[in-house]
Amino acid sequence: MLFKSVLSALALSVSGAFAAAGQLQQLTANIGPNPTNVGIFYYKPAKLASPPPLIVAMHYCTGTAQAYFTGTTYATLADQHGFIVIYPNAPTAGGCWDVATNATLTHNAGGDSLGIVSSVRWAIENWGVDATRVFATGTSSGAMMTNVLMGAYPDVFAAGSLFS
């Protein structure tokens, strides 16, 4: 049932304009390997499911974690369903994700994908995220990164939903 709720949240959340109860926070902890210095931001609602699922929500080219936080309803849905949202921020000047290098396309080899996965692994270890309910979603370049994560890290993500 919660799995269906999370997938419904993924499908409905790209419509924008919402009012989350909390604020977007930057994760400044050492998350482990992050070779391209992907910025990691997160939204944690006041009331979490036990254990909480996790959605990684990735922005489009020229976008930012902050823009995706304010332009989608993931945080509002997190308030309703008790999941955590990680909003990675692409490290490139144009805001596009590295979706084509051998490093990012290869399990644990580097690139933006490893930085994102390191944040997921950190969240599982430090926030008690349910490792069987980790999902990824994104728009445009974020959709391509969703595909990369599904292919390179099937051991980390239960499912992905993309919008391009």
Side-chain angles (χ1 to χ4, degrees):
M1 179 76 166
L2 185 57
F3 180 74
K4 280 186 174 182
S5 295
V6 171
L7 288 180
S8 294
L10 290 172
L12 296 173
S13 62
V14 294
S15 61
F18 69 97
Q23 297 297 313
L24 186 65
Q25 304 290 318
Q26 185 167 15
L27 184 59
T28 58
N30 180 359
I31 60 167
N34 188 0
T36 60
N37 295 314
V38 171
I40 305 298
F41 295 81
Y42 67 93
Y43 181 78
K44 232 169 129 178
K47 185 175 180 189
L48 291 171
S50 182
L54 174 71
I55 294 177
V56 177
M58 292 161 287
H59 63 76
Y60 43 87
C61 280
T62 72
T64 63
Q66 182 68 39
Y68 216 55
F69 171 75
T70 59
T72 63
T73 61
Y74 293 115
T76 300
L77 292 165
D79 287 334
Q80 295 170 8
H81 299 285
F83 58 84
I84 297 170
V85 186
I86 288 179
Y87 296 89
N89 198 64
T92 61
C96 294
W97 294 104
D98 166 18
V99 295
T101 65
N102 284 337
T104 207
L105 293 170
T106 304
H107 189 83
N108 290 333
D112 293 351
S113 64
L114 182 55
I116 294 167
V117 167
S118 291
S119 73
V120 170
R121 291 173 176 153
W122 187 93
I124 291 167
E125 184 176 321
N126 293 277
W127 290 335
V129 165
D130 182 346
T132 67
R133 295 187 296 162
V134 175
F135 308 94
T137 189
T139 304
S140 192
S141 182
M144 291 188 288
M145 180 52 78
T146 300
N147 280 332
V148 168
L149 294 172
M150 295 303 103
Y153 296 93
D155 57 318
V156 175
F157 294 93
S161 180
L162 47 112
F163 308 92
S164 61

